């Protein structure tokens, strides 16, 4: 029942059987709208991306449409479904795509991309009227991350050519003027700014971001004092960094790299722990508030928990021809994890939402979806409230809107809320108390040429939900223990890199 927007996803698997490889070729060649706003998208004109499979992974070929019908026309050509549930407000933009959204205790923050790219703030208790906005370029790409328990926001942006990346920090009282700004010394047009690449700690003390260098092909993790903008750490590695997450106090960063998860001490740059993943590209690893539990996704879904000495894998789940990397969620207390997996051989037209209890390692339940049509229903984002009683998952949706673009579940894996976008969902976030869910979207499906987007805020009914079992784990020290040893770092292998392409 939904459409999605265009994003560029790279999926890598270092050991791929011939059967899986051919399946990827068949399905991902149609991955015609690789939507991710934070990868391989850098355009002012409406565009879409077609994926090409190589022995190293999936490389996007960007297609730009020189003449595109106005968004309003395209909307009239598709079945527009109004959101269901208790919608508080929605904001439509005729040009920009709502690529990233974040919610704190009082406000919704939106990162709009393409023409009209900007940061916008909307009070939760308002009517969708923008309190203020900010942009350095008014076009290009952007990413947003809000502190859940403080008034602090990190905003990352890159211009349309992709040669100017900047980091900013705001509070709700900044009124469109950054509290501080930092121009990154490196850039990569093929890896523009996006919400997966910036994180703000829950307490508002720390902002972290990852950027890439098109010249050296290295990536760097930057860690900032969120109040002053002082650079606490810069950690460079030849293996590409796709995303970053922070624990509550900002002392540990979980860096998503190609086929590797790395926990980094943000004061010293010491690798606390690292482990190989099961594929790269459209992945985003997440960590609990205390750093005890983290999740990785790819061709498998894996969960690691701290046992007092090191991290051990407590959940390992996979299914043939399914991708688990694009929409993984973890609760702040580490009790509950979830993923929206999808069948890439079937053009992403069927998938399953899975939730797991971390303490027992058991599956809480599953929620299958299936659809038809030409467009891919690729999962692209997920979020959770503090105790895991509310988890939301975003996907591009299908040509015929066979399932909601944003689906919200309780811990019994019952659908308790949804957002039905007229186009593809690009982003989703959940408030700490689980009362609100916000989604961002493109006006048409990710696989379609087009622009424009929507931000939508819904309020969930206050019904009792199951209480999760706390994860009984000892408290680790922030600094690395001498016992855990970092997994040997993989040598960066040359990979085909797309020519600079505007993002859809």
């Amino acid at each position: 029942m939904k459409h999605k927007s265009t994003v560029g996803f790279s999926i890598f698997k270092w050991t791929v059987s011939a059967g899986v490889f051919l399946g990827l070729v068949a399905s991902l060649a149609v991955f015609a709208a690789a939507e991710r706003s934070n990868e391989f998208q850098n355009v002012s004109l409406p565009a879409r991306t077609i994926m090409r499979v190589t022995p190293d992974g999936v490389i996007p070929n960007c297609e730009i449409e020189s003449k595109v019908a106005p968004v309003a026309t395209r909307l009239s050509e598709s079945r527009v479904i109004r959101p269901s549930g208790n919608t508080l407000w929605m904001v439509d933009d005729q040009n920009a795509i709502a690529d990233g959204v974040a919610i704190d205790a009082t406000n919704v923050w939106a990162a709009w991309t393409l023409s009209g790219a900007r940061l916008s703030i909307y009070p939760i208790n308002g009517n969708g009227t923008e309190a203020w906005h900010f942009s350095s370029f008014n076009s290009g790409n952007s990413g947003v991350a809000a502190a859940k328990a403080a008034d602090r926001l990190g905003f990352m942006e890159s211009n349309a050519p992709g040669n100017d990346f900047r980091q900013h920090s705001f509070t709700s009282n900044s009124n469109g003027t950054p509290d501080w700004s930092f121009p990154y010394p490196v850039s990569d047009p093929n890896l523009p700014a996006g919400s997966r690449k910036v994180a703000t700690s829950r307490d508002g003390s720390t902002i972290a971001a990852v950027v890439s260098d098109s010249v050296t092909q290295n990536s760097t993790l930057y860690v900032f004092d969120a109040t002053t903008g002082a650079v606490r750490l810069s950690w460079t590695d030849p293996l590409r960094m796709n995303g970053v997450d922070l624990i509550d106090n900002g002392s540990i960063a979980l860096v998503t790299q190609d086929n590797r998860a790395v926990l980094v001490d943000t004061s010293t740059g010491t690798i606390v722990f690292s482990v190989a993943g099961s594929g790269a590209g459209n992945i985003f690893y997440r960590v609990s508030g205390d750093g005890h539990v983290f999740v990785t996704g790819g061709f498998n879904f894996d969960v690691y928990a701290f046992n007092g000495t090191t991290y051990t894998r407590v959940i390992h789940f996979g299914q043939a021809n399914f991708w688990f990397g694009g929409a993984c969620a973890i609760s702040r207390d580490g009790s509950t994890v979830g993923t929206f997996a999808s069948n890439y051989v079937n053009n992403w037209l069927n998938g399953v939402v899975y939730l797991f209890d971390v303490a027992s390692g058991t599956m809480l339940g599953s929620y299958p979806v299936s659809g038809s049509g030409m467009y891919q229903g690729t999962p692209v984002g997920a979020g959770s409230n503090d105790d895991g009683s509310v988890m939301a998952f975003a996907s591009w949706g299908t040509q015929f809107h066979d399932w909601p673009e944003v689906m919200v579940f309780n811990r019994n894996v019952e659908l308790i809320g949804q957002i039905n976008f007229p186009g593809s969902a690009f982003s989703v976030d959940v408030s700490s108390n689980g009362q609100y869910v916000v989604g961002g979207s493109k006006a048409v499906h990710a696989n379609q040429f087009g622009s424009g987007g929507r931000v939508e805020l819904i309020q969930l009914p206050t019904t009792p939900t199951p209480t999760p079992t706390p994860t009984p784990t000892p408290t680790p020290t922030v600094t690395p223990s001498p016992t855990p040893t970092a997994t040997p770092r993989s040598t960066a292998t040359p990979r085909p890199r797309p020519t600079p392409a505007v993002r859809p």
Side-chain angles (χ1 to χ4, degrees):
M1 307 163 172
K2 315 303 166 206
H3 293 13
K4 204 124 175 73
S5 56
T6 52
V7 69
F9 286 124
S10 299
I11 301 176
F12 294 85
K13 185 169 174 83
W14 308 118
T15 304
V16 182
S17 68
V20 172
F21 179 79
L22 292 176
L24 283 170
V25 173
S27 82
L28 294 174
V30 219
F31 199 26
E35 159 259 284
R36 265 280 318 149
S37 62
N38 85 357
E39 284 214 293
F40 308 115
Q41 293 191 31
N42 198 352
V43 280
S44 297
L45 293 174
R48 67 177 183 180
T49 304
I50 294 178
M51 288 299 179
R52 176 172 58 88
V53 178
T54 75
D56 293 316
V58 180
I59 306 301
N61 291 330
C62 186
E63 296 180 354
I64 302 173
E65 192 174 53
S66 57
K67 295 182 179 180
V68 181
V71 170
T73 302
R74 289 192 173 273
L75 285 175
S76 68
E77 292 171 352
S78 62
R79 183 160 62 97
V80 178
I81 298 181
R82 303 300 294 176
S84 63
N86 187 9
T87 299
L88 297 183
W89 48 258
M90 68 179 73
V91 178
D92 288 317
D93 191 292
Q94 293 299 302
N95 300 304
I97 296 172
D99 185 71
V101 291
I103 188 169
D104 59 25
T106 56
N107 297 293
V108 167
W109 303 81
W112 298 90
T113 63
L114 303 185
S115 178
R118 66 191 183 279
L119 168 69
S120 295
I121 176 175
Y122 307 94
I124 291 174
N125 294 327
N127 60 3
T129 300
E130 185 181 73
W132 51 261
H133 67 267
F134 167 83
S135 177
S136 296
F137 310 117
N138 297 314
S139 64
N141 299 288
S142 59
V144 64
K148 293 291 188 179
D151 187 9
R152 177 61 61 185
L153 180 102
F155 178 64
M156 182 185 192
E157 60 176 349
S158 57
N159 63 354
N163 57 13
D164 190 346
F165 283 62
R166 302 179 188 181
Q167 182 65 52
H168 310 283
S169 180
F170 297 88
T171 68
S172 60
N173 298 316
S174 297
N175 295 322
T177 301
D179 292 359
W180 56 263
S181 298
F182 176 83
Y184 288 106
V186 297
S187 63
D188 190 334
N190 298 303
L191 301 169
S195 294
R196 293 184 179 184
K197 296 184 175 180
V198 60
T200 303
S201 62
R202 180 183 178 87
D203 64 3
S205 66
T206 308
I207 291 174
V210 293
V211 293
S212 298
D213 187 341
S214 60
V215 177
T216 65
Q217 297 195 17
N218 292 332
S219 291
T220 301
L221 165 69
Y222 283 88
V223 180
F224 303 91
D225 181 295
T227 302
T228 66
V231 178
R232 293 179 181 168
L233 174 73
S234 63
W235 175 69
T236 300
D237 193 78
L239 196 59
R240 184 173 65 179
M241 300 179 189
N242 305 287
V244 62
D245 199 10
L246 288 168
I247 69 171
D248 282 356
N249 64 10
S251 62
I252 297 290
L254 173 61
V255 181
T256 302
Q257 293 189 269
D258 280 352
N259 208 36
R260 185 174 71 154
V262 184
L263 289 169
V264 180
D265 186 309
T266 59
S267 297
T268 64
T270 303
I271 296 179
V272 178
F273 182 81
S274 70
V275 66
S278 59
N282 173 22
I283 53 175
F284 183 34
Y285 305 151
R286 310 299 298 270
V287 65
S288 64
D290 58 9
H292 289 168
V293 183
F294 69 91
V295 301
T296 69
F299 288 96
N300 300 310
F301 180 67
D302 294 297
V303 181
Y304 294 82
F306 189 74
N307 64 9
T309 302
T310 186
Y311 289 85
T312 60
R313 191 170 68 182
V314 294
I315 295 174
H316 173 69
F317 184 77
Q319 187 173 351
N321 303 325
F322 273 67
W323 183 253
F324 295 83
C328 297
I330 185 170
S331 60
R332 180 199 175 208
D333 63 7
S335 66
T336 312
V337 296
T339 182
F340 187 0
S342 187
N343 188 331
Y344 51 80
V345 171
N346 190 34
N347 199 32
W348 311 86
L349 290 176
N350 62 288
V352 187
V353 172
Y354 297 100
L355 299 188
F356 297 85
D357 176 76
V358 175
S360 65
T362 59
M363 184 187 296
L364 294 169
S366 61
Y367 189 93
V369 295
S370 62
S372 60
M374 297 186 301
Y375 304 147
Q376 300 159 328
T378 312
V380 293
S384 175
N385 72 334
D386 284 356
D387 65 5
S389 59
V390 176
M391 285 195 168
F393 299 87
S395 72
W396 286 352
T398 66
Q399 182 177 0
F400 302 112
H401 301 281
D402 297 295
W403 65 79
E405 281 74 31
V406 173
M407 298 185 291
V408 188
F409 298 90
N410 62 16
R411 213 167 181 264
N412 288 329
V413 201
E414 298 167 331
L415 188 67
I416 59 172
Q418 63 190 64
I419 300 177
N420 299 296
F421 284 121
S424 288
F426 268 40
S427 52
V428 67
D429 198 14
V430 181
S431 63
S432 289
N433 61 9
Q435 186 177 3
Y436 303 102
V437 176
V438 62
S441 76
K442 182 182 176 181
V444 296
H445 195 277
N447 294 167
Q448 290 179 286
F449 289 107
S451 55
R454 172 179 292 177
V455 172
E456 173 113 5
L457 179 68
I458 65 172
Q459 185 175 22
L460 300 177
T462 54
T463 54
T465 54
T467 301
T469 304
T471 306
T473 52
T475 303
T477 56
V478 171
T479 55
S481 160
T483 303
T485 56
T487 299
R489 300 206 322 211
S490 29
T491 304
T493 55
R495 60 181 177 275
R497 294 178 66 84
T499 54
V502 282
R503 77 186 255 194

